[in-house]
Amino acid sequence: FPTRRSSDLETDPTITYKARGGNWYVTSGIKNGNVYYKKKFFGTKVYASLYFAYPVRDRENYDWINAVLDAHFISEDRD
């Protein structure tokens, strides 16, 4: 990861979940009344980002979508 992004992962108080792999990271949390899910890939050939947000009040209608998005948003670009 670029240094700035790694630092953001440690200091953003809205993050309630974070995970990291060799060339990707995921964060999610609640900000301004919305649940958000963010996944980013950093590779030698590809930089890709996914962002999904929805109102907290609609959580039971949308939470399941995060798992589907995560399962299909993958990168073949390996470091």
Side-chain angles (χ1 to χ4, degrees):
F1 303 53
T3 304
R4 182 169 175 256
R5 294 293 180 206
S6 294
S7 174
D8 291 348
L9 288 175
E10 302 303 323
T11 61
D12 186 341
T14 68
I15 295 173
T16 58
Y17 172 80
K18 58 186 170 184
R20 180 168 29 187
N23 71 337
W24 60 270
Y25 75 85
V26 170
T27 58
S28 65
I30 298 174
K31 188 175 199 173
N32 300 324
N34 290 308
V35 175
Y36 68 88
Y37 177 86
K38 179 173 26 177
K39 185 173 188 179
K40 293 195 175 204
F41 287 102
F42 301 94
T44 56
K45 300 175 188 170
V46 174
Y47 171 83
S49 181
L50 168 74
Y51 185 83
F52 183 66
Y54 48 92
V56 172
R57 70 179 176 275
D58 295 331
R59 239 182 150 152
E60 74 179 53
N61 294 324
Y62 291 102
D63 273 352
W64 67 272
I65 294 173
N66 288 335
V68 173
L69 291 173
D70 187 62
H72 294 281
F73 188 69
I74 58 174
S75 174
E76 296 298 321
D77 187 10
R78 308 275 191 240
D79 286 342

